[in-house]
Amino acid sequence: MGAEEYLPEDPGDLEALRRASMGCRGCGLYRDATQTVFGRGTVGARLLLVGEQPGDREDRQGQPFVGPAGTLLDRALDEAGIDRGKLFLTNAVKHFKWVPSGGRRLHKTPSARERAACRPWLLAELRVVAPALVVGLGATACQSLLGSGFRLSHHRQELVDGPGGLPVVATIHPSAVLRMTGADRSRAFDGLVEDLRFASTAVS
Ligand code: URA
Ligand code: SF4
C-alpha cells in the first residue's frame, strides 16, 4: 500500500508527476472516485496551501478547491491580500473519499493509512514546487505535513518545521468554517484570514 511505486522516473517534472498521479492505485480510494485531483499552480509559487482531499465538485472537475470550500478560501485570500499567482493549491489526499447518503455523496475523512499512502505525492509536489512556506489547512493536512501527534489548535500563528525544513503555518480548514454559524463562523473566518496574512508576511 502506498503511492511510492507510482511516482514517475523523473519526479522533478511537475507535468510528469501530474500524469503519473492519474494512474495511482496506492490505496483503495481511487475505486469510488472519478479521478485523481492533483495540485494546481506553478513551480516556484511562494506559498503552497494543502487541504484535506477533493470534495464532490473537485472530484468531478479534477481541480482542487473549486467547490464551496474553495469559494470561502478565495474570499479569505482576498481579505488577506494574497495574490493568486503566488499560490500552489493541493490536498493531502488526492482522491475523494465519500459515503452515499440520501442520493448524495457525503465527504468522509481519510484514515491515517490513506493519508500516509498518499503522502509521497504531497512530498513530491513540495520538492518540485519548492515554495518558501506551506500552509496546512485543517488537521488532515497538518498531520500529513507534521506527524500524527500534531495538534493544530496549539500552533496557530507560528512557524513550525515541516518536511525538509520547510516552514509550515497551521490553520483551520475552510470547510470547518462553513460548518459553523453566526458569530462562531465570522470569528473562525477572521482567524483563517489572520493566519493567511501571517503566512504571507513571513515570505514577503
Ligand atoms: N476541501 C479540501 O480540502 N480540498 C479541496 O480541494 C476542496 C475541499
Ligand atoms: Fe493514490 Fe492517493 Fe489516490 Fe490513494 S488517494 S489511490 S494514494 S492518489
Side-chain angles (χ1 to χ4, degrees):
M1 170 137 164
E4 202 67 64
E5 63 182 285
Y6 297 91
L7 290 185
E9 267 175 35
D10 177 9
D13 172 348
L14 192 63
E15 273 319 302
L17 262 188
R18 180 193 309 280
R19 278 196 304 276
S21 75
M22 298 304 147
C24 184
R25 304 285 184 264
C27 76
L29 292 185
Y30 73 90
R31 286 195 205 103
D32 294 331
T34 308
Q35 58 193 316
T36 304
V37 179
F38 194 74
R40 167 167 65 134
T42 54
V43 170
R46 299 279 289 155
L47 288 174
L48 187 149
L49 270 56
V50 185
E52 183 194 76
Q53 63 166 347
D56 180 81
R57 195 86 63 85
E58 288 80 11
D59 173 73
R60 295 174 200 277
Q61 294 189 19
Q63 296 279 338
F65 288 107
V66 291
T71 305
L72 187 130
L73 179 62
D74 282 349
R75 269 210 297 129
L77 288 165
D78 277 346
E79 270 204 39
I82 295 176
D83 168 10
R84 219 55 55 83
K86 280 209 305 203
L87 293 182
F88 189 90
L89 287 175
T90 193
N91 286 301
V93 170
K94 309 296 194 232
H95 275 107
F96 177 37
K97 182 176 184 178
W98 58 278
V99 287
S101 166
R104 295 179 55 222
R105 303 193 299 171
L106 199 67
H107 158 277
K108 189 158 196 274
T109 304
S111 68
R113 276 172 66 90
E114 289 155 348
R115 200 174 70 214
C118 213
R119 194 164 184 263
W121 294 119
L122 178 61
L123 294 181
E125 286 172 306
L126 291 175
R127 271 195 307 272
V128 180
V129 176
L133 187 146
V134 181
V135 177
L137 301 163
T140 295
C142 290
Q143 290 179 352
S144 185
L145 291 162
L146 300 164
S148 298
F150 185 79
R151 291 292 167 265
L152 155 63
S153 53
H154 301 173
H155 299 278
R156 302 282 292 267
Q157 305 258 329
E158 200 180 293
L159 294 176
V160 187
D161 246 8
L166 263 176
V168 175
V169 170
T171 189
I172 186 172
H173 194 286
S175 299
V177 179
L178 282 176
R179 283 193 297 271
M180 296 177 186
T181 53
D184 286 345
R185 182 167 176 166
S186 48
R187 231 185 338 265
F189 181 80
D190 292 347
L192 173 61
V193 171
E194 280 310 305
D195 292 347
L196 289 171
R197 204 175 271 137
F198 173 78
S200 167
T201 308
V203 297
S204 59

